[in-house]
């Protein structure tokens, strides 16, 4: 109470951060920001790390956060094709946390203009009926109608027919 404008959640977070500093501790959420700070402040460490890694591979690139993207920029040479990013912007599961993850691929091409973009259109995993249904659904989404997923294909058999089911919402 007392009319405080700071929420209980914010107070708890501030107390947690103070206690971490007092004990000289870090947690998982500190790893990337602290690494970025180190790489910006100490060019020797940055050079040692960029020389240490001959190649960098990022899987699920569509889910890379802004800080993770900054770390990739810091660890890679923008003029060398040492960075490989794999992903599908139509499969982002963290966009609610990371913002516009479709932008990751656009930013990648801007940051590494000599990069080669390879779009994988053949689906090896799903039955043909699933691939066709997914493409039909995606083609109705104006922001994704031109995406690779809307134009996927497979040589797999049709498989079982798709069933659509609906279930009543349950209140817990």
């Amino acid at each position: 109470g007392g009319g405080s404008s700071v929420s209980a959640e914010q107070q708890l977070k501030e107390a947690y951060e103070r206690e971490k500093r007092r004990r000289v501790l870090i947690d998982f959420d500190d790893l990337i920001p602290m690494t970025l700070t180190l790489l910006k402040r100490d060019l020797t460490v940055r050079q040692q790390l960029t020389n240490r890694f001959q190649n960098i591979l990022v899987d699920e690139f569509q889910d890379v956060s802004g800080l993770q993207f900054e770390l990739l920029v810091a660890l890679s040479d923008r003029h060398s094709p040492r960075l490989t990013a794999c992903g599908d912007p139509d499969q982002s599961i963290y966009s609610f946390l990371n913002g516009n993850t479709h932008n990751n691929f656009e930013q990648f091409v801007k940051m590494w203009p000599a990069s080669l973009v390879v779009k994988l259109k053949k689906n090896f995993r799903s039955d043909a009926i699933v691939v066709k249904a997914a493409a039909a659904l995606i083609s109705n989404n104006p922001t994704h109608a031109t995406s690779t997923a809307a134009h996927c294909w497979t040589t797999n058999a049709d498989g079982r027919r798709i069933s659509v089911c609906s279930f009543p919402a349950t209140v817990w």
Side-chain angles (χ1 to χ4, degrees), residues 39 43-56 74-77 80 82:
L39 295 176
L43 295 180
T44 303
V45 170
R46 183 176 182 166
Q47 193 62 51
Q48 287 173 341
L49 285 175
T50 56
N51 290 339
R52 181 175 181 184
F53 300 110
Q54 293 178 359
N55 297 290
I56 299 171
L75 289 175
S76 63
D77 179 354
S80 172
R82 301 174 349 138

Side-chain angles (χ1 to χ4, degrees), residues 53-91:
F53 300 110
Q54 293 178 359
N55 297 290
I56 299 171
L57 170 63
V58 182
D59 195 13
E60 303 297 346
F61 188 70
Q62 72 274 4
D63 293 323
V64 167
S65 71
L67 283 174
Q68 291 168 330
F69 193 94
E70 275 187 67
L71 185 59
L72 288 171
V73 171
L75 289 175
S76 63
D77 179 354
R78 290 182 55 196
H79 307 290
S80 172
R82 301 174 349 138
L83 177 62
T84 301
C86 306
D88 181 350
D90 292 316
Q91 294 187 30

Side-chain angles (χ1 to χ4, degrees), residues 85 108 112-118:
F108 183 89
W112 295 277
S115 62
L116 171 66
V117 175
V118 178

Side-chain angles (χ1 to χ4, degrees), residues 78-129:
R78 290 182 55 196
H79 307 290
S80 172
R82 301 174 349 138
L83 177 62
T84 301
C86 306
D88 181 350
D90 292 316
Q91 294 187 30
S92 177
I93 59 172
Y94 293 112
S95 60
F96 69 96
L97 290 174
N98 299 336
N100 183 9
T101 54
H102 279 70
N103 200 24
N104 283 354
F105 294 93
E106 293 168 18
Q107 290 299 320
F108 183 89
V109 173
K110 285 179 186 174
M111 293 300 295
W112 295 277
S115 62
L116 171 66
V117 175
V118 178
K119 294 186 177 184
L120 305 177
K121 294 182 181 183
K122 183 175 182 183
N123 182 309
F124 292 92
R125 185 180 301 164
S126 302
D127 292 338
I129 200 161

